[in-house]
Amino acid sequence: MLLIVGHVMRAHGIRGEVLVHPRTDEPASRFAAGSTLIVEPAVAGLPGTLTVESARPHSGELIVTFAEIPDRNTAELAKSAVLNIDSADVAPPEDPDEFLDHQLVGLDVVTVGGEPLGKVTRIEHAPSSDLLVVRLADGRTGFIPFVSAIVPEVDVAGGRITVDPPGGLFDL
């Protein structure tokens, strides 16, 4: 599974640098010199992978130089390119109560009583708490606040998340 770590916003300057909006909690390690990023979906005129030569912060974004982008013309081709890494290259968190999004997507969701509710399709990062977006058994979409009071157990190895939803959570 590919994980998005950033996207190219535009060319910057005349030497092939690009302005990147990082979409990772670890921009320093993901955009470290020597890191290889996967361009997916493919962009005409760019190779499938880009190697970071340098990166520096700039107004909340990053100015990145890639080995495969030697000049402004090639940098212009990279505009809107989505930069990814392979999830297999990401170490799981050391904290047992911390999870990466890709670890949760696809897990079955059941109530504390064992009733199946559906599957996690994605994670929404809302201001107050993260939300599990669940495709419910009846085809509707449910949003479950990812807080310990409602989600008492996450068993990644077992492929299951146990929830104790408050009454009316899915009655919209």
Side-chain angles (χ1 to χ4, degrees):
M1 169 187 269
L2 293 179
L3 305 175
I4 298 172
V5 294
H7 71 269
V8 178
M9 298 172 65
R10 61 177 171 80
H12 181 83
I14 60 171
R15 295 189 180 104
E17 295 176 316
V18 292
L19 187 66
V20 172
H21 175 71
R23 292 182 52 189
T24 175
D25 291 341
E26 302 172 346
S29 64
R30 300 288 176 236
F31 292 92
S35 297
T36 301
L37 303 176
I38 301 163
V39 179
E40 178 68 32
V43 174
L46 288 182
T49 60
L50 297 173
T51 307
V52 176
E53 286 188 339
S54 68
R56 65 184 188 277
H58 176 74
S59 299
E61 312 295 347
L62 295 173
I63 295 175
V64 182
T65 303
F66 291 105
E68 298 80 5
I69 301 179
D71 55 33
R72 171 122 186 154
N73 291 336
T74 310
E76 290 288 344
L77 296 174
K79 183 178 179 183
S80 300
V82 179
L83 306 171
N84 304 271
I85 58 171
D86 190 331
S87 63
D89 298 335
V90 179
E94 292 179 17
D95 182 350
D97 291 330
E98 183 179 346
F99 304 96
L100 301 174
D101 291 4
H102 73 275
Q103 292 177 297
L104 303 174
V105 172
L107 296 183
D108 291 322
V109 179
V110 298
T111 65
V112 291
E115 176 189 346
L117 289 177
K119 283 193 179 291
V120 176
T121 58
R122 69 179 190 278
I123 311 301
E124 288 288 330
H125 299 283
S128 60
S129 72
D130 292 338
L131 297 170
L132 299 173
V133 180
V134 178
R135 171 63 71 199
L136 300 172
D138 64 7
R140 294 181 301 140
T141 299
F143 296 90
I144 301 173
F146 194 32
V147 295
S148 60
I150 299 173
V151 183
E153 182 184 357
V154 176
D155 181 4
V156 174
R160 186 179 71 204
I161 295 175
T162 303
V163 299
D164 188 10
L169 184 63
F170 305 117
D171 293 341
L172 294 176

